[in-house]
């Protein structure tokens, strides 16, 4: 739909009345699919960090010692086993004919094999049954038994016994450990009461697996998202508001006040942003029990407001010389009414655009500071802190780094696209093109 605009040309002698058509004025364009997708992405992220913890009620700081760096898993039951420490076969046990598995669970696997003539020391290997090779060399021993307690999981292992001196392979056997949990961990997690004698307990699901400390990754992504988005929204709201007030006062007052204010803005802009951000973060310090969010927001407030101050000051200076403002002042309209009636409606779109672009910048700044260890403090986490934790296990478990990095990229991209759309929607410049 378009509105046709006609302009009557001046009449000349002997010429018929002429009407000159001007190109239709286009209506505001509909939102592009990319903008709609970005808005849905932002909505999903907000629901993920607000409604998600209500639906997925696992503590982001709870550690499952028996599920360190475990993959995605559904809820299942585990056997409660006692922690017997060191183990050796009883003297009454018969001499095994081959490699015997006394006990096989995810807490420990107990191996027993006969003593072989001419072999003084044995080397034990543990490998993946679905992959070639011997796998990891677990230990060397002169005994004919061994207890494996190294990060066992619910997969099929292949144990191989070899002569430690010659490397000759002697015995081999495959085994799948049974899901189990020590009684100590079950009591620590509150799954069984102190002194309880339960044999089986239920373990909650971990759809995205666990990290290097056995914490649920999905719950930590939700908790980290609340921190990152909180800083990403609150910090820009504060420093843009301060910058707008500062710039508006400088523009309205003019004269030496404006000059002094702008020199102060130049001083703040000249400060090395990242260096002084870290110095402010260290100077404010974090006491016991603090999460480090407020010092981070205050540091961003102190250093990030000059951009919005310059923007609003320039716009206010331009509006002061407009005819409608001069006419209102001559008509006796008060300064406060001029600000509310003429100034604010003209600068508000610019403030909204600046705010929409400041959100992804604040999210990225918080993520970077947390990644280098200068952001939030444990046990509080953020997407940047999760990237810091995940880079330590990048080669063995890359999802612990890639998942929070993906959420940071999605949020920054979505807010940037929405900022572009908002800037285009509030751009009042238009021209009339003749047909």
């Amino acid at each position: 739909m378009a509105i046709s605009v006609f302009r009557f040309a001046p009449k000349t002698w002997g010429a018929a009345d002429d009407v000159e058509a001007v190109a239709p004025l286009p209506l505001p364009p509909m939102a592009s699919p990319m903008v709609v997708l970005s808005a849905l992405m932002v909505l999903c992220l907000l629901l993920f960090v607000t409604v998600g913890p209500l639906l997925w009620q696992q503590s982001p700081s709870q550690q499952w010692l028996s599920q360190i760096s475990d993959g995605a898993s559904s809820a299942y039951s585990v056997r409660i086993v006692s922690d017997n420490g060191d183990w050796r076969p009883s003297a009454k046990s018969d001499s095994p004919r081959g490699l015997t598995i006394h006990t096989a669970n995810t807490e420990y696997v107990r191996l027993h094999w006969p003593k072989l003539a001419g072999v003084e020391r044995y080397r034990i290997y543990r490998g993946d049954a679905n992959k070639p090779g011997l796998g990891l060399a677990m230990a060397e021993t002169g005994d004919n038994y061994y207890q494996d307690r190294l990060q066992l999981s619910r997969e099929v292992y292949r144990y191989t016994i070899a002569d430690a001196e010659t490397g000759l392979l002697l015995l081999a056997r495959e085994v799948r450990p049974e899901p189990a949990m020590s009684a100590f961990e079950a009591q620590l997690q509150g799954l069984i009461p102190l002194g309880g004698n339960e044999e089986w307990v239920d373990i909650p699901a971990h759809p995205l697996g666990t990290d290097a400390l056995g914490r649920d990754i999905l719950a930590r992504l939700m908790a980290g998202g609340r921190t990152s988005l909180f800083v990403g929204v609150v910090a820009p709201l504060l420093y843009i508001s301060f910058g707008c007030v500062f710039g508006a006062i400088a523009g309205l007052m003019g004269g030496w006040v404006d000059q002094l204010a702008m020199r102060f803005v130049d001083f703040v802009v000249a400060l090395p942003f990242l260096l002084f951000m870290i110095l402010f973060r260290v100077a404010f310090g974090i006491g016991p029990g603090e999460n480090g969010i407020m010092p981070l927001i205050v540091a961003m407030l102190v250093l990030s407001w000059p951009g919005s101050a310059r923007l609003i000051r320039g716009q206010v200076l331009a509006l002061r010389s407009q005819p409608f403002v001069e006419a209102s002042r001559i008509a006796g309209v008060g300064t406060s009414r001029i600000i509310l009636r003429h100034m604010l409606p003209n600068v508000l779109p610019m403030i909204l655009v600046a705010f929409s672009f400041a959100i992804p910048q604040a999210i990225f700044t918080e993520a970077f500071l947390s990644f280098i260890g200068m952001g939030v403090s444990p046990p509080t986490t953020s997407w940047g802190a999760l990237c810091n934790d995940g880079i330590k296990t990048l080669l063995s478990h890359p999802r612990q780094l890639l998942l929070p990095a993906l959420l940071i990229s999605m949020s920054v991209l979505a807010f940037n696209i929405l900022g572009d759309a908002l800037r285009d929607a509030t751009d009042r410049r238009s021209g009339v093109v003749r047909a």
Side-chain angles (χ1 to χ4, degrees), residues 247 249-251 253-263 313 317:
I249 293 175
M253 297 295 292
W256 66 270
V257 175
D258 181 32
Q259 294 298 322
L260 182 62
M262 287 302 101
R263 298 297 75 77
R313 179 252 185 185
L317 287 177

Side-chain angles (χ1 to χ4, degrees), residues 296-375:
L296 183 61
I297 292 178
V298 173
M300 296 178 69
L301 170 62
V302 172
L303 295 170
S304 302
W305 59 270
S308 57
R310 282 180 166 178
L311 181 68
I312 299 304
R313 179 252 185 185
Q315 188 72 6
V316 169
L317 287 177
L319 290 172
R320 284 179 56 188
S321 59
Q322 293 296 321
F324 60 89
V325 175
E326 293 294 338
S328 299
R329 186 177 292 110
I330 294 173
V333 179
T335 303
S336 60
R337 185 170 178 80
I338 292 177
I339 293 175
L340 295 176
R341 184 68 180 273
H342 300 297
M343 298 285 188
L344 185 60
N346 284 279
V347 300
L348 185 59
M350 301 184 66
I351 296 175
L352 294 178
V353 172
F355 178 69
S356 63
F357 281 112
I359 291 177
Q361 181 181 0
I363 292 176
F364 185 79
T365 300
E366 183 279 327
F368 175 75
L369 291 176
S370 296
F371 180 76
I372 64 175
M374 298 303 301

Side-chain angles (χ1 to χ4, degrees), residues 11 54 67 74 79 95 180 225 229 266 291 295 312 317 375 400 405 414:
K11 184 177 180 181
L54 301 178
Q67 296 176 290
S74 58
R79 182 186 296 275
S95 178
L229 293 181
D266 294 338
N291 51 29
I312 299 304
L317 287 177
Q400 298 180 18

Side-chain angles (χ1 to χ4, degrees), residues 115-395:
K115 290 186 176 181
L116 302 177
V119 180
E120 297 183 356
R121 295 188 62 80
Y122 302 92
R123 182 178 295 134
I124 300 96
Y125 294 92
R126 187 186 78 188
D128 190 341
N130 300 319
K131 296 180 181 180
L134 297 177
L136 178 66
M138 304 296 295
E140 290 187 11
T141 178
D143 301 319
N144 63 330
Y145 59 90
Y146 178 72
Q147 180 176 230
D148 180 14
R149 302 173 62 91
L150 181 62
Q151 294 184 353
L152 293 160
S153 59
R154 297 175 298 161
E155 60 180 288
V156 180
Y157 294 107
R158 180 180 57 251
Y159 286 94
T160 305
I161 309 299
D163 188 342
E165 295 182 358
T166 63
L168 180 65
L169 303 183
L170 305 175
L171 301 167
R173 182 169 178 178
E174 295 183 358
V175 61
R176 180 189 294 272
E178 178 187 31
M181 177 181 291
S182 67
F184 171 76
E185 182 183 358
Q187 294 173 2
L188 185 65
Q189 303 291 354
L191 299 177
I192 61 175
L194 188 63
N197 56 358
E198 286 81 354
E199 295 185 359
W200 294 86
V201 295
D202 295 329
I203 297 297
H206 302 294
L208 300 180
T210 57
D211 64 3
L213 295 179
R215 298 170 295 191
D216 184 73
I217 293 180
L218 179 58
R220 291 186 63 76
L221 288 175
M222 294 177 181
R226 287 198 302 271
T227 302
S228 296
L229 293 181
F230 177 80
V231 174
V233 173
V234 173
L237 183 63
L238 292 177
Y239 69 71
I240 287 181
S241 299
F242 177 77
C244 291
V245 173
F246 189 91
I249 293 175
L252 288 173
M253 297 295 292
W256 66 270
V257 175
D258 181 32
Q259 294 298 322
L260 182 62
M262 287 302 101
R263 298 297 75 77
F264 181 69
V265 169
D266 294 338
F267 169 76
V268 177
V269 171
L271 298 177
F273 179 79
L274 182 59
L275 175 60
F276 275 83
M277 177 72 74
I278 296 175
L279 291 179
F280 270 112
R281 179 72 171 73
V282 173
F284 290 143
I286 299 177
E290 294 184 7
N291 51 29
I293 295 178
M294 290 310 298
L296 183 61
I297 292 178
V298 173
M300 296 178 69
L301 170 62
V302 172
L303 295 170
S304 302
W305 59 270
S308 57
R310 282 180 166 178
L311 181 68
I312 299 304
R313 179 252 185 185
Q315 188 72 6
V316 169
L317 287 177
L319 290 172
R320 284 179 56 188
S321 59
Q322 293 296 321
F324 60 89
V325 175
E326 293 294 338
S328 299
R329 186 177 292 110
I330 294 173
V333 179
T335 303
S336 60
R337 185 170 178 80
I338 292 177
I339 293 175
L340 295 176
R341 184 68 180 273
H342 300 297
M343 298 285 188
L344 185 60
N346 284 279
V347 300
L348 185 59
M350 301 184 66
I351 296 175
L352 294 178
V353 172
F355 178 69
S356 63
F357 281 112
I359 291 177
Q361 181 181 0
I363 292 176
F364 185 79
T365 300
E366 183 279 327
F368 175 75
L369 291 176
S370 296
F371 180 76
I372 64 175
M374 298 303 301
V376 297
S377 300
T380 304
T381 187
S382 68
W383 288 337
L386 291 177
C387 289
N388 186 21
D389 295 336
I391 199 172
K392 303 170 186 175
T393 57
L394 175 61
L395 297 180

